[in-house]
Amino acid sequence: MPVRIEDAAHASPPPGAKRMFIKSYGCQMNVYDGLRMAELLAPMGYGLAPTAEDADLIVLNTCHIREKADDKVFSDIGRLRREAAPGAIIAVGGCTGQALGASIMQTAPAVQVVFGPQTYHRLPTLIEKITTGQLKRAVDTDFPELEKFDNLPTPGAYGPTAFVTIQEGCDKFCTYCVVPYTRGAEISRPAAHIIQEVETLAQQGVKEVTLLGQNVNAYQHEGYTLASLCEAVGNVPGIARIRFTTSHPNNTGDDLINAFATNPKLMPYFHLPVQAGSNRVLQAMNRNHTAESYLATIARIRQVNPDIAISGDFIVGFPGETEEDFEQTLQLAANVGYFGAYSFAYSPRPGTPAAELPGQVPELTKKERLAALQAVLDHTTADYLTRFVGQTLPVLIEGENEHPERYGPQLRGRSPHNAPVNISYPPGTNARSLIGQIVQVHITQSAAKSLVGELTAA
Ligand code: SF4
């Protein structure tokens, strides 16, 4: 992960300073939110603690998308109740906070603050009220549209890449998904604010931005679409690369597809979830697209760029999924030839329509189907990467290899297609000076999920 929470505030606060520990679970939007929380709390005098047990304030920035993620939060709360420093404040934010706020307050007396993804800008006020004794416990799970973004501090840069949230929420209501309930309706940030945030990041050395949204390609604000926003972001001096995630097939219009040909800064990587290969299952999921329409969209994208990396998301074992349905998912995965797709066993989420559906698939069957799908995805990923062996690629250097004792001194970076690249370099190279640069790398090998190469020229 290029952006680390440890970088968001002073890692070693002066003796006697207050210390915070922020743990973000789940998606990239939570990583972005966790960084912003650290920036919000730093002016209150909070530096980062190395562990939760050392902290005066512990923030669990949670994910509610799967049952396992919720279980992890409750197990962390239980552990912290025993192990946190006396007097430490435990706050639960993110989507679990939004969805289960009242029940967390009821079942977990150790938790003093609960807030949602749309109210974390109010965290300093909530913490102030707790520390000054104005409140003993506080819950804030409103949905104030865009207020949050107007109240966040200037973003900091923590390396050559950065996330920028441009859109939040979702109106699609897939029957398995909690996002429309936890993040609210689709809203898009004004383009001018986004461009200003990107300019600030670029001035701090950021070269690559990933534009984030639950339905990022539904972005729409005052005439801007995602394609025209990418164009505007590409005009910011210093920005060399743009990516975006996560997209819905139904919002993938021609202007966005054509941008992969016309906007040289838009990197050839498209994360386009499909979830299942069977139309029966897609209909039960309320995806509002078919396997055929999804494949037609992939074909349109590949017409513009045949080499583009396609990633995706899959859910196996959705209620009512038969062996035949699952075979269609395997077939679709093999046909698309994904690079690094995410796959999960279906987990019923309370309050979603799918949780009430008959025909819940036994856990063992889900596990077996997941293993079979992951084997196909591993194969397509490794196969996709082989095409780059022998090529010279521009790679954005993100840092040094964290295990030089195992692999020798290497740099690590990302190819345009979002493949991690491990790069060896000649003795005498000032490797550190290359961090943040885009360098030419000759690819010598492909591995299961990454590429290996040699530095050719800075
Ligand atoms: S489109 Fe994505 S975020 Fe929206 S409901 Fe479906 S899975 Fe959830």
Side-chain angles (χ1 to χ4, degrees):
M1 178 60 61
V3 183
R4 302 178 317 156
I5 190 75
E6 289 81 358
D7 302 315
H10 301 295
S12 307
K18 293 178 286 187
R19 289 171 170 235
M20 63 180 156
F21 183 84
I22 300 177
K23 177 171 179 179
S24 287
Y25 309 63
C27 66
Q28 289 158 325
M29 292 189 76
N30 261 16
V31 175
Y32 175 90
D33 291 347
L35 290 165
R36 299 282 88 86
M37 285 175 206
E39 290 167 352
L40 279 163
L41 292 164
M44 293 179 77
Y46 283 100
L48 284 175
T51 67
E53 291 72 23
D54 295 310
D56 305 291
L57 168 62
I58 301 159
V59 181
L60 303 179
N61 183 25
T62 62
C63 171
H64 190 54
I65 205 94
R66 268 170 281 283
E67 200 176 355
K68 265 191 190 159
D70 272 349
D71 292 348
K72 182 85 188 84
V73 173
F74 282 104
S75 122
D76 279 350
I77 293 173
R79 188 179 52 76
L80 289 168
R81 185 172 53 83
R82 296 185 302 275
E83 296 173 13
I89 299 169
I90 301 176
V92 176
C95 290
T96 306
Q98 185 70 42
L100 304 180
S103 90
I104 292 171
M105 281 310 219
Q106 228 173 27
T107 56
V111 174
Q112 279 179 276
V113 179
V114 169
F115 59 102
Q118 303 305 348
T119 50
Y120 69 77
H121 58 293
R122 298 180 187 160
L123 191 53
T125 311
L126 296 173
I127 299 301
E128 178 77 19
K129 286 191 174 158
I130 298 286
T131 51
T132 56
Q134 294 173 61
L135 284 177
K136 275 201 162 28
R137 304 178 86 199
V139 180
D140 187 349
T141 50
D142 281 359
F143 274 121
E145 273 200 12
L146 289 177
E147 179 195 298
K148 175 179 75 187
F149 291 105
D150 294 337
N151 287 282
L152 294 181
T154 309
Y158 311 105
T161 64
F163 295 135
V164 176
T165 293
I166 66 163
Q167 181 278 338
E168 285 206 50
C170 181
D171 299 338
K172 302 277 192 297
F173 288 93
C174 299
T175 53
Y176 51 83
C177 182
V178 291
V179 165
Y181 313 101
T182 58
R183 293 255 175 185
E186 281 176 10
I187 48 161
S188 295
R189 291 177 68 192
H193 296 189
I194 295 164
I195 291 160
Q196 204 174 28
E197 186 167 326
V198 174
E199 282 169 350
T200 308
L201 292 166
Q203 282 155 13
Q204 298 173 75
V206 166
K207 294 254 173 31
E208 174 180 307
V209 287
T210 300
L211 307 179
L212 299 178
Q214 260 94 29
N215 254 297
V216 75
N217 56 348
Y219 179 86
Q220 206 163 25
H221 200 277
E222 289 177 355
Y224 274 93
T225 61
L226 180 58
S228 52
L229 182 68
C230 287
E231 192 71 38
V233 167
N235 289 334
V236 172
I239 294 299
R241 293 180 164 197
I242 304 164
R243 304 184 192 278
F244 58 80
T245 195
T246 286
S247 297
H248 191 284
N250 292 0
N251 295 112
T252 309
D254 284 341
D255 67 331
L256 186 58
I257 292 176
N258 290 334
F260 284 99
T262 57
N263 183 346
K265 296 196 177 168
L266 188 56
M267 292 295 100
Y269 172 85
F270 205 144
H271 179 77
L272 195 60
V274 63
Q275 310 297 1
S278 146
N279 287 339
R280 220 177 54 78
V281 173
L282 287 170
Q283 195 178 11
M285 289 176 163
N286 193 35
R287 290 288 295 174
N288 281 311
H289 62 78
T290 60
E292 292 76 22
S293 67
Y294 176 85
L295 289 170
T297 301
I298 300 290
R300 278 158 58 222
I301 297 168
R302 288 213 165 118
Q303 242 169 17
V304 166
N305 183 339
D307 255 351
I308 196 165
I310 303 285
S311 171
D313 291 345
F314 288 88
I315 295 173
V316 302
F318 188 78
E321 183 190 73
T322 62
E323 274 304 319
E324 197 188 335
D325 292 322
F326 178 62
E327 278 302 319
Q328 291 173 13
T329 297
L330 290 180
Q331 198 60 51
L332 182 141
N335 285 350
V336 170
Y338 286 95
F339 168 59
Y342 303 93
S343 53
F344 304 95
Y346 170 74
S347 126
R349 307 310 293 126
T352 58
E356 308 301 326
L357 286 175
Q360 299 285 330
V361 175
E363 288 305 316
L364 183 61
T365 308
K366 286 190 215 171
K367 217 171 148 187
E368 286 167 359
R369 289 182 187 170
L370 186 60
L373 177 60
Q374 285 177 344
V376 170
L377 294 170
D378 285 350
H379 175 78
T380 59
T381 296
D383 186 52
Y384 175 79
L385 288 171
T386 57
R387 74 189 64 198
F388 298 110
V389 176
Q391 293 188 21
T392 296
L393 301 178
V395 175
L396 174 59
I397 304 297
E398 293 175 347
E400 290 177 289
N401 190 321
E402 279 156 17
H403 298 286
E405 73 291 350
R406 244 184 271 165
Y407 306 108
Q410 283 185 325
L411 287 161
R412 60 181 167 78
R414 293 254 160 196
S415 77
H417 302 80
N418 212 24
V421 190
N422 294 310
I423 308 143
S424 54
Y425 48 83
T429 305
N430 183 353
R432 299 217 105 220
S433 72
L434 297 178
I435 296 171
Q437 307 289 318
I438 294 175
V439 300
Q440 297 300 317
V441 175
H442 179 67
I443 304 299
T444 53
Q445 278 179 56
S446 66
K449 293 183 173 146
S450 60
L451 296 169
V452 178
E454 290 163 356
L455 191 65
T456 59

mmCIF file of all heavy atoms in Angstrom, residues 188-212:
data_model
loop_
_atom_site.group_PDB
_atom_site.id
_atom_site.type_symbol
_atom_site.label_atom_id
_atom_site.label_comp_id
_atom_site.label_asym_id
_atom_site.label_seq_id
_atom_site.Cartn_x
_atom_site.Cartn_y
_atom_site.Cartn_z
ATOM 1 N N SER A 188 -21.520 13.791 -5.873
ATOM 2 C CA SER A 188 -20.240 14.078 -6.531
ATOM 3 C C SER A 188 -19.706 15.402 -5.992
ATOM 4 O O SER A 188 -20.469 16.363 -5.832
ATOM 5 C CB SER A 188 -20.437 14.213 -8.041
ATOM 6 O OG SER A 188 -20.858 12.979 -8.590
ATOM 7 N N ARG A 189 -18.420 15.437 -5.729
ATOM 8 C CA ARG A 189 -17.804 16.692 -5.263
ATOM 9 C C ARG A 189 -17.639 17.655 -6.444
ATOM 10 O O ARG A 189 -17.372 17.213 -7.567
ATOM 11 C CB ARG A 189 -16.409 16.426 -4.674
ATOM 12 C CG ARG A 189 -16.410 15.678 -3.375
ATOM 13 C CD ARG A 189 -14.991 15.420 -2.932
ATOM 14 N NE ARG A 189 -14.287 16.644 -2.559
ATOM 15 C CZ ARG A 189 -12.975 16.729 -2.362
ATOM 16 N NH1 ARG A 189 -12.207 15.654 -2.512
ATOM 17 N NH2 ARG A 189 -12.412 17.857 -2.005
ATOM 18 N N PRO A 190 -17.704 18.952 -6.191
ATOM 19 C CA PRO A 190 -17.473 19.901 -7.285
ATOM 20 C C PRO A 190 -16.079 19.717 -7.898
ATOM 21 O O PRO A 190 -15.093 19.537 -7.161
ATOM 22 C CB PRO A 190 -17.577 21.269 -6.597
ATOM 23 C CG PRO A 190 -18.364 21.021 -5.350
ATOM 24 C CD PRO A 190 -18.049 19.620 -4.927
ATOM 25 N N ALA A 191 -16.014 19.777 -9.218
ATOM 26 C CA ALA A 191 -14.736 19.567 -9.917
ATOM 27 C C ALA A 191 -13.675 20.556 -9.439
ATOM 28 O O ALA A 191 -12.503 20.200 -9.265
ATOM 29 C CB ALA A 191 -14.950 19.690 -11.420
ATOM 30 N N ALA A 192 -14.096 21.808 -9.197
ATOM 31 C CA ALA A 192 -13.117 22.833 -8.796
ATOM 32 C C ALA A 192 -12.422 22.435 -7.480
ATOM 33 O O ALA A 192 -11.217 22.627 -7.326
ATOM 34 C CB ALA A 192 -13.811 24.178 -8.641
ATOM 35 N N HIS A 193 -13.195 21.844 -6.547
ATOM 36 C CA HIS A 193 -12.601 21.431 -5.266
ATOM 37 C C HIS A 193 -11.628 20.262 -5.470
ATOM 38 O O HIS A 193 -10.578 20.197 -4.830
ATOM 39 C CB HIS A 193 -13.697 21.003 -4.283
ATOM 40 C CG HIS A 193 -14.620 22.129 -3.911
ATOM 41 N ND1 HIS A 193 -15.556 22.014 -2.917
ATOM 42 C CD2 HIS A 193 -14.763 23.386 -4.408
ATOM 43 C CE1 HIS A 193 -16.235 23.160 -2.807
ATOM 44 N NE2 HIS A 193 -15.772 23.996 -3.709
ATOM 45 N N ILE A 194 -12.010 19.375 -6.354
ATOM 46 C CA ILE A 194 -11.153 18.203 -6.606
ATOM 47 C C ILE A 194 -9.835 18.668 -7.240
ATOM 48 O O ILE A 194 -8.747 18.239 -6.833
ATOM 49 C CB ILE A 194 -11.876 17.203 -7.543
ATOM 50 C CG1 ILE A 194 -13.113 16.640 -6.824
ATOM 51 C CG2 ILE A 194 -10.944 16.086 -7.984
ATOM 52 C CD1 ILE A 194 -14.099 15.956 -7.747
ATOM 53 N N ILE A 195 -9.959 19.563 -8.214
ATOM 54 C CA ILE A 195 -8.749 20.026 -8.917
ATOM 55 C C ILE A 195 -7.829 20.775 -7.941
ATOM 56 O O ILE A 195 -6.607 20.585 -7.960
ATOM 57 C CB ILE A 195 -9.138 20.879 -10.145
ATOM 58 C CG1 ILE A 195 -9.789 19.941 -11.182
ATOM 59 C CG2 ILE A 195 -7.929 21.575 -10.755
ATOM 60 C CD1 ILE A 195 -10.627 20.626 -12.210
ATOM 61 N N GLN A 196 -8.457 21.541 -7.058
ATOM 62 C CA GLN A 196 -7.664 22.256 -6.047
ATOM 63 C C GLN A 196 -6.918 21.249 -5.148
ATOM 64 O O GLN A 196 -5.751 21.430 -4.833
ATOM 65 C CB GLN A 196 -8.610 23.087 -5.199
ATOM 66 C CG GLN A 196 -7.967 24.259 -4.547
ATOM 67 C CD GLN A 196 -9.043 25.092 -3.839
ATOM 68 O OE1 GLN A 196 -10.073 24.566 -3.416
ATOM 69 N NE2 GLN A 196 -8.790 26.368 -3.712
ATOM 70 N N GLU A 197 -7.613 20.176 -4.765
ATOM 71 C CA GLU A 197 -6.969 19.155 -3.910
ATOM 72 C C GLU A 197 -5.806 18.493 -4.672
ATOM 73 O O GLU A 197 -4.735 18.276 -4.107
ATOM 74 C CB GLU A 197 -8.011 18.110 -3.484
ATOM 75 C CG GLU A 197 -7.464 17.110 -2.479
ATOM 76 C CD GLU A 197 -8.568 16.277 -1.806
ATOM 77 O OE1 GLU A 197 -9.679 16.794 -1.584
ATOM 78 O OE2 GLU A 197 -8.285 15.107 -1.507
ATOM 79 N N VAL A 198 -6.027 18.219 -5.954
ATOM 80 C CA VAL A 198 -4.964 17.591 -6.758
ATOM 81 C C VAL A 198 -3.783 18.549 -6.902
ATOM 82 O O VAL A 198 -2.619 18.143 -6.819
ATOM 83 C CB VAL A 198 -5.508 17.145 -8.137
ATOM 84 C CG1 VAL A 198 -4.386 16.628 -9.026
ATOM 85 C CG2 VAL A 198 -6.577 16.064 -7.971
ATOM 86 N N GLU A 199 -4.078 19.845 -7.097
ATOM 87 C CA GLU A 199 -2.985 20.829 -7.220
ATOM 88 C C GLU A 199 -2.141 20.848 -5.944
ATOM 89 O O GLU A 199 -0.906 20.860 -6.000
ATOM 90 C CB GLU A 199 -3.566 22.229 -7.477
ATOM 91 C CG GLU A 199 -3.997 22.430 -8.917
ATOM 92 C CD GLU A 199 -4.820 23.707 -9.138
ATOM 93 O OE1 GLU A 199 -5.222 24.362 -8.155
ATOM 94 O OE2 GLU A 199 -5.089 24.019 -10.307
ATOM 95 N N THR A 200 -2.824 20.818 -4.789
ATOM 96 C CA THR A 200 -2.103 20.819 -3.511
ATOM 97 C C THR A 200 -1.214 19.587 -3.396
ATOM 98 O O THR A 200 -0.065 19.669 -2.948
ATOM 99 C CB THR A 200 -3.122 20.824 -2.341
ATOM 100 O OG1 THR A 200 -4.028 21.876 -2.565
ATOM 101 C CG2 THR A 200 -2.454 20.988 -1.013
ATOM 102 N N LEU A 201 -1.752 18.454 -3.813
ATOM 103 C CA LEU A 201 -0.965 17.212 -3.744
ATOM 104 C C LEU A 201 0.217 17.265 -4.712
ATOM 105 O O LEU A 201 1.336 16.873 -4.360
ATOM 106 C CB LEU A 201 -1.860 16.006 -4.054
ATOM 107 C CG LEU A 201 -2.931 15.692 -2.996
ATOM 108 C CD1 LEU A 201 -3.977 14.727 -3.551
ATOM 109 C CD2 LEU A 201 -2.290 15.110 -1.736
ATOM 110 N N ALA A 202 -0.040 17.771 -5.927
ATOM 111 C CA ALA A 202 1.033 17.837 -6.934
ATOM 112 C C ALA A 202 2.157 18.754 -6.466
ATOM 113 O O ALA A 202 3.346 18.467 -6.677
ATOM 114 C CB ALA A 202 0.467 18.316 -8.273
ATOM 115 N N GLN A 203 1.782 19.842 -5.785
ATOM 116 C CA GLN A 203 2.814 20.768 -5.274
ATOM 117 C C GLN A 203 3.689 20.090 -4.225
ATOM 118 O O GLN A 203 4.806 20.509 -3.964
ATOM 119 C CB GLN A 203 2.155 22.022 -4.678
ATOM 120 C CG GLN A 203 1.696 23.002 -5.746
ATOM 121 C CD GLN A 203 0.553 23.902 -5.260
ATOM 122 O OE1 GLN A 203 0.265 23.949 -4.067
ATOM 123 N NE2 GLN A 203 -0.085 24.591 -6.191
ATOM 124 N N GLN A 204 3.161 19.029 -3.611
ATOM 125 C CA GLN A 204 3.935 18.288 -2.604
ATOM 126 C C GLN A 204 4.639 17.070 -3.215
ATOM 127 O O GLN A 204 5.131 16.217 -2.492
ATOM 128 C CB GLN A 204 3.012 17.829 -1.474
ATOM 129 C CG GLN A 204 2.362 18.983 -0.719
ATOM 130 C CD GLN A 204 1.315 18.472 0.272
ATOM 131 O OE1 GLN A 204 1.650 17.938 1.324
ATOM 132 N NE2 GLN A 204 0.059 18.600 -0.072
ATOM 133 N N GLY A 205 4.620 16.962 -4.536
ATOM 134 C CA GLY A 205 5.390 15.905 -5.194
ATOM 135 C C GLY A 205 4.591 14.708 -5.670
ATOM 136 O O GLY A 205 5.165 13.742 -6.186
ATOM 137 N N VAL A 206 3.265 14.757 -5.523
ATOM 138 C CA VAL A 206 2.465 13.614 -6.000
ATOM 139 C C VAL A 206 2.456 13.597 -7.529
ATOM 140 O O VAL A 206 2.224 14.619 -8.170
ATOM 141 C CB VAL A 206 1.021 13.685 -5.433
ATOM 142 C CG1 VAL A 206 0.090 12.726 -6.161
ATOM 143 C CG2 VAL A 206 1.039 13.373 -3.937
ATOM 144 N N LYS A 207 2.701 12.405 -8.094
ATOM 145 C CA LYS A 207 2.721 12.264 -9.562
ATOM 146 C C LYS A 207 1.482 11.510 -10.062
ATOM 147 O O LYS A 207 1.098 11.636 -11.207
ATOM 148 C CB LYS A 207 3.953 11.453 -9.983
ATOM 149 C CG LYS A 207 5.274 12.139 -9.704
ATOM 150 C CD LYS A 207 5.845 12.629 -11.019
ATOM 151 C CE LYS A 207 7.071 13.488 -10.932
ATOM 152 N NZ LYS A 207 7.986 13.275 -9.872
ATOM 153 N N GLU A 208 0.966 10.649 -9.198
ATOM 154 C CA GLU A 208 -0.153 9.802 -9.630
ATOM 155 C C GLU A 208 -1.312 9.939 -8.652
ATOM 156 O O GLU A 208 -1.120 9.795 -7.445
ATOM 157 C CB GLU A 208 0.301 8.340 -9.680
ATOM 158 C CG GLU A 208 -0.827 7.376 -9.988
ATOM 159 C CD GLU A 208 -0.370 5.924 -10.032
ATOM 160 O OE1 GLU A 208 0.593 5.618 -10.759
ATOM 161 O OE2 GLU A 208 -0.971 5.098 -9.324
ATOM 162 N N VAL A 209 -2.507 10.201 -9.184
ATOM 163 C CA VAL A 209 -3.683 10.235 -8.308
ATOM 164 C C VAL A 209 -4.662 9.145 -8.732
ATOM 165 O O VAL A 209 -4.840 8.876 -9.923
ATOM 166 C CB VAL A 209 -4.425 11.596 -8.316
ATOM 167 C CG1 VAL A 209 -3.647 12.645 -7.564
ATOM 168 C CG2 VAL A 209 -4.766 12.052 -9.708
ATOM 169 N N THR A 210 -5.256 8.537 -7.731
ATOM 170 C CA THR A 210 -6.343 7.588 -7.979
ATOM 171 C C THR A 210 -7.628 8.241 -7.493
ATOM 172 O O THR A 210 -7.753 8.578 -6.312
ATOM 173 C CB THR A 210 -6.100 6.256 -7.234
ATOM 174 O OG1 THR A 210 -4.871 5.700 -7.701
ATOM 175 C CG2 THR A 210 -7.226 5.265 -7.486
ATOM 176 N N LEU A 211 -8.549 8.469 -8.416
ATOM 177 C CA LEU A 211 -9.820 9.106 -8.083
ATOM 178 C C LEU A 211 -10.756 8.031 -7.550
ATOM 179 O O LEU A 211 -10.950 6.991 -8.189
ATOM 180 C CB LEU A 211 -10.410 9.779 -9.322
ATOM 181 C CG LEU A 211 -9.457 10.745 -10.049
ATOM 182 C CD1 LEU A 211 -10.139 11.340 -11.290
ATOM 183 C CD2 LEU A 211 -8.990 11.870 -9.121
ATOM 184 N N LEU A 212 -11.308 8.270 -6.367
ATOM 185 C CA LEU A 212 -12.081 7.242 -5.684
ATOM 186 C C LEU A 212 -13.568 7.572 -5.639
ATOM 187 O O LEU A 212 -13.947 8.723 -5.482
ATOM 188 C CB LEU A 212 -11.619 7.097 -4.228
ATOM 189 C CG LEU A 212 -10.187 6.681 -3.953
ATOM 190 C CD1 LEU A 212 -9.948 6.651 -2.451
ATOM 191 C CD2 LEU A 212 -9.887 5.326 -4.567
#
